[in-house]
Amino acid sequence: PFNHVPNSYYMDPSDSCYEICHRVIRDMTQYGVCVLNNFLGKEQGLMVLNEVLEMYRSGIFTAGQLVSNPASTEAQTIRSDLITWIDGKETNCHYIRQLISQVDNIILRANKMANNGKMGDYVINGRTKAMVACYPGSGSHYVKHVDNPNKDGRCITAIYYLNLDWDVKRCGGLLRVFPEGTNQVADIAPIFDRMLFFWSDRRNPHEVQPAYSTRYAITLWYFDAHEREEALRNFKERGQPSSSK
Ligand SMILES: O=C(O)CCC(=O)Nc1cc2ccccc2cn1
Ligand SMILES: [Mn+2]
């Protein structure tokens, strides 16, 4: 049944946020993955792309660090994306900030519209900064992983793709999601102005296959109030010297 995910919704401008939120709720509830095409429209999408290109040219991107031994060469074989974190208030990020608030209001409204004010039983009350990522081509990739394997509070991964004329056969860079409990995979091309949502936990292991052209994306992770609070509480407790010492 998974491969019947309508893999692209064209959001013609007449689509109200209401319509879009319904699609997000339905797909997230049914598949745990939701793809929306033409999310901002060409003009706005290009403005976001230009801001990202400008940031990349300014050299503020750094190699995506691994939590485990980042110094080793192994780090290179696991992921080779270049990233920078922004909150959208920086200079020359006006259109990225607009994208972020557009995603915020869809996620927050969908969360409210979902039955008993929850989507997937989450109460979404915050998010990370935006992570702007670039895979600089020449085989750069990200091995299969889970974004939130240990309940750090992140429940939805939201990725906005910026790649004009991206042809997976020529450029690679496919995002392959391996939804838990089925041997079906969801192959998502990182095409321009495409918005992707998926549950961040173990339900959605995913990989970025080797990219042979420069591949840009902006990612936001949304927090579930309860799981985040729990994670921060555990963090504080672990951080305290245990009373037994
Ligand atoms: O660009 C895509 O299609 C997805 C790439 C991707 O999975 N990126 C990513 C990036 C991450 C950076 C830090 C910590 C966890 C992370 C998990 N995933
Ligand atoms: Mn990921």
Side-chain angles (χ1 to χ4, degrees):
F2 190 79
N3 55 11
H4 293 307
V5 173
N7 77 341
S8 61
Y9 282 120
Y10 284 88
M11 287 189 333
D12 42 54
S14 65
D15 251 347
S16 71
C17 176
Y18 181 80
E19 284 294 311
I20 295 161
C21 294
H22 254 296
R23 289 182 182 167
V24 174
I25 296 168
R26 186 175 65 189
D27 284 3
M28 292 304 282
T29 307
Q30 206 165 357
Y31 306 109
V33 181
C34 174
V35 178
L36 299 173
N37 282 345
N38 289 354
F39 184 66
L40 294 180
K42 183 131 186 147
E43 200 178 313
Q44 299 280 338
L46 285 174
M47 299 308 283
V48 174
L49 173 58
N50 287 331
E51 287 180 346
V52 169
L53 291 173
E54 205 39 55
M55 285 166 66
Y56 190 62
R57 277 188 214 106
S58 73
I60 57 170
F61 281 60
T62 56
Q65 288 309 317
L66 276 181
V67 280
S68 64
N69 47 5
S72 78
T73 49
E74 181 231 352
Q76 277 312 309
T77 57
I78 289 190
R79 62 185 275 207
S80 31
D81 53 340
L82 300 169
I83 62 171
T84 189
W85 291 89
I86 58 164
D87 59 17
K89 298 187 189 69
E90 296 83 352
T91 52
N92 309 329
C93 284
H94 170 74
Y95 291 96
I96 294 175
R97 184 166 62 247
Q98 280 197 321
L99 164 71
I100 294 172
S101 59
Q102 184 89 325
V103 183
D104 281 350
N105 65 44
I106 286 183
I107 290 291
L108 296 177
R109 274 195 60 183
N111 195 207
K112 286 197 181 31
M113 276 164 60
N115 48 352
N116 64 43
K118 299 182 169 190
M119 179 164 47
D121 256 358
Y122 295 118
V123 175
I124 296 168
N125 72 336
R127 60 162 163 79
T128 64
K129 286 185 172 185
M131 183 189 77
V132 187
C134 168
Y135 289 76
S138 51
S140 45
H141 63 288
Y142 201 136
V143 296
K144 188 172 170 181
H145 66 279
V146 169
D147 284 357
N148 173 15
N150 306 315
K151 291 196 173 305
D152 64 23
R154 291 178 295 166
C155 60
I156 294 182
T157 301
I159 307 178
Y160 180 70
Y161 294 110
L162 291 151
N163 308 293
L164 286 166
D165 311 323
W166 189 272
D167 167 15
V168 170
K169 284 183 296 306
R170 189 166 40 85
C171 312
L174 188 74
L175 172 74
R176 173 161 287 180
V177 185
F178 305 80
E180 200 181 39
T182 163
N183 57 7
Q184 305 267 354
V185 295
D187 283 346
I188 295 147
I191 62 172
F192 175 75
D193 201 20
R194 168 170 279 179
M195 191 76 221
L196 166 68
F197 301 109
F198 57 85
W199 301 130
S200 308
D201 64 12
R202 292 168 187 264
R203 283 171 285 182
N204 288 315
H206 53 283
E207 67 184 12
V208 176
Q209 297 183 345
Y212 297 98
S213 295
T214 313
R215 179 190 186 277
Y216 296 101
I218 300 175
T219 303
L220 296 161
W221 282 279
Y222 287 85
F223 292 124
D224 164 62
H226 176 71
E227 186 179 312
R228 185 64 179 162
E229 182 195 306
E230 190 67 21
L232 291 176
R233 189 178 319 121
N234 294 339
F235 179 75
K236 284 199 186 72
E237 276 156 19
R238 242 200 332 269
Q240 308 302 337
S242 62
S243 54
S244 59
K245 281 196 190 94

